[in-house]
Amino acid sequence: MKDQNNFQQIKEKWKQDVKKTEKRFPERKQTFTTSSEIEIDQLYTPTEPDITYTENLGFPGQFPYTRGIQPTMYRSRYWTMRQYAGFGSAEETNQRFRYLLNQGQTGLSVAFDLPTQIGYDSDDPMAEGEVGKVGVAIDSLADMEQLFDQIPLDQVSTSMTINAPASILLAMYIAVGEKQGVSPEKLTGTIQNDILKEYIARGTYIYPPKPSMRLITDIFGYCHEHLPKFNTISISGYHIREAGSTAVQEVAFTIANGMAYVDAAIESGLEVDQFAPRLAFFFNAHNQFFEEAAKFRAARRIWAKIMKDHYKAENPKSWKLRFHTQTGGSTLTAQQPDNNIVRVTVQALSAVMGGTQSLHTNSRDEALALPTEDSARIALRTQQIIAQESGVADTIDPLGGSHYVEALTDEIETEVNKYLERIRELGGAVQAVEEGFMQREIHQTAYEAQKRIESNEDIVVGLNEYKLEEEVNPDLLRVDEALEAGQINKTQEIRHTRDAAVVERCLAELRQAAKANDNVMPHIVEAVKVYATVGEIANVLREEFGEYTGM
C-alpha cells in the first residue's frame, strides 16, 4: 500500500507538470488514436507498481528521467530534425542548408573541413588537398557570414561539430548574429567542444589536454554570462562508437569525460548549477535496436544520479541528460548502398524510442562520398516518416515496462558503472586518456568485432553475405578541385583589405590573456570581428599552449 501511495503521489506530480508544459507546448492533437480508432494514452504504467518501478523508472520529466526528460515528450513536440551538412565553400553549404530547411528540417548542423577543425587556414601548406573535402572551409568571419546568409539566427538553432578551435567558431557565430541584429543572449545551438574524445578516438586536437580543458572552461564561463541559451559543449560518444567501442563503452567513456568537464569547471570557480543545465551529449545509434534504446534510457538515469548525488546539483535542469543522436556511420556499407536506407531507419527508430532530443540520419551514399542532394532528402524523409506516419511518437516511452528493455537498461547501467569505477581508480578521465586506457579498450573491442565479420560469425548484408556479382555505381557528389584555389584567393583578399594594425593589436591582446590565464573568449570575439582568421588565432594559442603530438 505504501508503494502504491508513493506511486500515486508521483503520478499526480507528473500530471501537474504536464499541464504546465501544455500551456507552452500544447499537444499536437486533441486525441491520439490508432488506425482502428483505439485511443492512445499519454503514458502507460503498471497497474500495481512496486518501489523498483518508482525509483528506477518513475515518470517522464522526473528524476531519474529513465522515461524521458520532458513531461509530454513527443506528444507536444517532435525531436529536432538536425541534418549534418557541410562541403566545399560557404556558398555551396549555405545553399544545402536552405534546401534542407525548405524541405522541413528544423535545425542546422555544420560539418567543417579538416583544416578548419585543426586550426589551419586554407592557404596554409598543411591544408593542401583537404580544403572543403569533408566539410565546409571557414577561414574568416567573411566565410561565416556567407554560411548563414539569409538564415535568421534568432529562428534557427545551430550545432557545430568543432572541437579544438570551438572558441573561434563560436566567436564567429556570435559576430554573425550581431551583424544580423541578433544579440548573443538570443542565440541557440551547440558547439561540440569535447576535446577528450579527440585524444581517445578522433584525432582533431591541437593543444595538450590541460590548456584544452582551460579553453573549455573559458567557454563555459563566457556563455554563462553572455549566451545563456547556448549549449556550451556536446559531450560526444558518437566518435567513440565510430572508433569501435561497444554500447556500454560508449556510454561509460562519454559520461567519464562529462565528469571531467564538470570537475574542471568547478575547479575554475564556477558553481555546478551555473553551467550544468547547458551541458549536452551526442550519441551514436547502431543496428541492435533494443540495446540502443536501452542504452539511451540507461545513460539518462546514470547521469541524473551522478549530478544529483555526486555533484549535489540542486537545479533539476542540471540532472537532465539532453542528447543529440546520429545514426552509425561505421555501419554503412559501400556495397549495395541502398541497403543503408534500411539500416538508418532502424537506427533512427531506436533513437526516437530511446527519447532523443535531436537526430541526424545518415545518407545512403556516405560510405562512398559526401551525400548528394537526393540522398540528403531521403535521409530527412526517413525522420519525417517515423514522426508523421509510424505512430511511435504518439505515446511516451512506448518500450517502457518491456521485461527485455528494462533488463537491458539495468544491465547496461551496471556495466557502465563498473567502467566508471575503473576510471575513477585511474584518477579520472583525463588521466585515463593520458595512460591510453580507453584507447586500448576500444581497440580491442574493434579488433574482435572485425574478426567476427571476417569469420562470418556476424553477418553484414551485402558485405559478407548476400553479395551482388556486379555493383551498381550510384551518382556521387564530387567537390570541385578548383574550390581550393578560390578559397585561398578569398582568404588572402581578406588579409589585404582588413585593418592590419587592428588585427595585430587584437591578436596581441589575446596572447596576453592566454599568458595571464585570463578568459580568452572576449579577446577571440574581438579578433574575429576585425577578420582575424582561424589559423592566425589558433597559431597565437599554439605558441602559448604548445601542440599535442600524441601518446
Side-chain angles (χ1 to χ4, degrees):
M1 180 61 70
K2 182 180 178 181
D3 292 347
Q4 185 69 28
N5 289 340
N6 190 32
F7 174 80
Q8 291 300 332
Q9 290 173 1
I10 297 172
K11 185 174 184 178
E12 188 57 38
K13 169 67 167 60
W14 170 69
K15 287 182 177 179
Q16 294 171 8
D17 291 342
V18 167
K19 288 180 180 178
K20 291 178 184 177
T21 301
E22 288 176 344
K23 288 181 180 178
R24 292 186 62 207
F25 306 110
E27 290 197 340
R28 292 180 282 111
K29 301 177 183 179
Q30 285 189 335
T31 305
F32 291 83
T33 64
T34 70
S35 64
S36 304
E37 298 300 317
I38 298 170
E39 189 165 339
I40 302 169
D41 290 343
Q42 284 180 314
L43 184 73
Y44 291 86
T45 60
T47 54
E48 296 183 5
D50 58 19
I51 191 66
T52 301
Y53 177 88
T54 304
E55 292 182 351
N56 285 346
L57 274 75
F59 287 82
Q62 293 184 15
F63 183 90
Y65 306 104
T66 310
R67 306 203 67 181
I69 65 167
Q70 302 296 345
T72 57
M73 289 302 289
Y74 308 137
R75 297 259 298 199
S76 292
R77 293 186 298 168
Y78 293 124
W79 58 94
T80 301
M81 299 177 192
R82 191 187 300 281
Q83 293 298 103
Y84 186 47
F87 63 94
S89 67
E91 291 87 346
E92 290 174 295
T93 301
N94 174 263
Q95 290 173 11
R96 176 63 64 85
F97 283 169
R98 287 160 60 191
Y99 172 78
L100 289 169
L101 289 170
N102 287 335
Q103 293 299 314
Q105 177 170 295
T106 52
L108 297 177
S109 182
V110 187
F112 297 97
D113 73 354
L114 190 58
T116 305
Q117 291 184 51
I118 52 178
Y120 291 112
D121 292 331
S122 295
D123 59 352
D124 193 293
M126 292 292 288
E128 185 175 354
E130 293 293 338
V131 175
K133 288 294 177 66
V134 299
V136 60
I138 299 293
D139 293 326
S140 73
L141 180 58
D143 294 319
M144 205 70 159
E145 291 167 350
Q146 180 60 57
L147 185 64
F148 294 103
D149 181 47
Q150 300 180 58
I151 298 174
L153 299 191
D154 58 344
Q155 298 177 31
V156 175
S157 69
T158 303
S159 172
M160 294 186 280
T161 301
I162 195 73
N163 295 281
S167 55
I168 306 170
L169 275 298
L170 175 59
M172 288 183 176
Y173 194 74
I174 294 168
V176 171
E178 289 183 356
K179 282 179 174 285
Q180 289 188 3
V182 181
S183 59
E185 62 267 19
K186 293 182 180 179
L187 294 175
T188 59
T190 305
I191 44 171
Q192 192 163 106
N193 199 25
D194 174 5
I195 202 63
L196 289 176
K197 67 94 176 51
E198 296 296 325
Y199 305 121
I200 296 169
R202 195 161 176 263
T204 61
Y205 43 72
I206 301 175
Y207 318 109
K210 288 183 179 178
S212 294
M213 294 294 281
R214 172 194 163 183
L215 286 173
I216 290 169
T217 56
D218 280 0
I219 291 171
F220 284 4
Y222 184 85
C223 289
H224 172 63
E225 289 188 27
H226 302 285
L227 281 81
K229 296 182 179 180
F230 210 87
N231 296 329
T232 51
I233 192 168
S234 174
I235 305 159
S236 176
Y238 181 84
H239 303 96
I240 290 170
R241 192 68 177 278
E242 288 293 282
S245 79
T246 65
V248 164
Q249 290 170 338
E250 177 190 1
V251 174
F253 299 163
T254 304
I255 286 180
N257 289 347
M259 294 177 71
Y261 296 128
V262 173
D263 290 338
I266 291 171
E267 288 173 12
S268 75
L270 292 171
E271 297 290 334
V272 65
D273 285 320
Q274 288 181 319
F275 64 88
R278 301 317 308 174
L279 302 179
F281 289 78
F282 175 23
F283 289 116
N284 209 311
H286 268 228
N287 289 330
Q288 292 204 3
F289 175 84
F290 289 106
E291 182 181 41
E292 294 302 295
K295 175 188 77 178
F296 300 128
R297 301 169 86 250
R300 267 196 301 272
R301 191 157 75 202
I302 294 165
W303 185 251
K305 291 177 181 178
I306 288 170
M307 295 308 295
K308 184 178 181 182
D309 299 337
H310 178 73
Y311 288 109
K312 308 301 181 185
E314 296 180 0
N315 185 349
K317 292 181 180 179
S318 299
W319 307 337
K320 295 180 180 181
L321 184 145
R322 298 170 300 116
F323 67 96
H324 171 71
T325 308
Q326 180 172 338
T327 57
S330 61
T331 69
L332 304 181
T333 61
Q335 298 82 2
Q336 302 175 43
D338 283 351
N339 293 347
N340 294 327
I341 298 173
V342 183
R343 293 187 178 98
V344 167
T345 303
V346 172
Q347 294 164 7
L349 191 59
S350 76
V352 171
M353 298 293 260
T356 192
Q357 276 60 69
S358 63
L359 179 61
H360 164 89
T361 33
N362 288 331
S363 299
R364 59 183 172 177
D365 49 5
E366 288 191 52
L368 295 162
L370 292 167
T372 63
E373 191 172 271
D374 283 349
S375 295
R377 186 184 63 254
I378 292 169
L380 176 59
R381 293 288 183 259
T382 301
Q383 294 200 49
Q384 291 165 335
I385 290 168
I386 290 172
Q388 304 283 352
E389 298 185 25
S390 72
V392 298
D394 290 350
T395 189
I396 302 166
D397 187 29
L399 294 179
S402 157
H403 295 303
Y404 180 39
V405 170
E406 298 304 351
L408 269 178
T409 303
D410 292 346
E411 188 66 23
I412 290 171
E413 181 178 18
T414 297
E415 294 303 313
V416 167
N417 282 328
K418 288 179 183 177
Y419 262 118
L420 292 176
E421 180 59 24
R422 290 172 69 183
I423 292 167
R424 187 193 66 78
E425 291 171 354
L426 289 171
V430 176
Q431 188 67 27
V433 168
E434 290 177 342
E435 294 184 14
F437 168 71
M438 298 180 197
Q439 296 93 313
R440 288 192 301 273
E441 291 289 304
I442 294 169
H443 291 166
Q444 183 61 34
T445 298
Y447 172 69
E448 291 170 356
Q450 185 61 32
K451 282 201 305 182
R452 290 194 301 272
I453 292 171
E454 291 176 359
S455 67
N456 278 33
E457 182 181 346
D458 287 352
I459 300 302
V460 180
V461 174
L463 178 66
N464 59 2
E465 281 287 350
Y466 315 111
K467 303 176 187 178
L468 292 178
E469 290 186 9
E470 291 188 19
E471 289 280 349
V472 177
N473 294 321
D475 293 330
L476 301 176
L477 176 66
R478 304 293 184 190
V479 176
D480 188 347
E481 294 297 330
L483 164 83
E484 185 164 327
Q487 185 66 23
I488 289 171
N489 290 338
K490 181 180 179 181
T491 301
Q492 292 179 344
E493 180 65 20
I494 289 291
R495 290 203 185 95
H496 290 314
T497 56
R498 68 191 183 183
D499 189 326
V502 174
V503 172
E504 286 303 314
R505 175 176 57 77
C506 287
L507 292 176
E509 290 172 353
L510 170 62
R511 186 184 302 278
Q512 183 56 39
K515 286 180 184 291
N517 208 30
D518 295 336
N519 191 316
V520 297
M521 272 302 297
H523 304 283
I524 294 175
V525 171
E526 291 307 309
V528 303
K529 286 181 180 178
V530 297
Y531 293 87
T533 67
V534 170
E536 290 166 341
I537 296 170
N539 284 339
V540 168
L541 299 179
R542 277 187 177 95
E543 291 163 10
E544 296 305 318
F545 296 156
E547 287 190 82
Y548 186 70
T549 55
M551 298 291 296

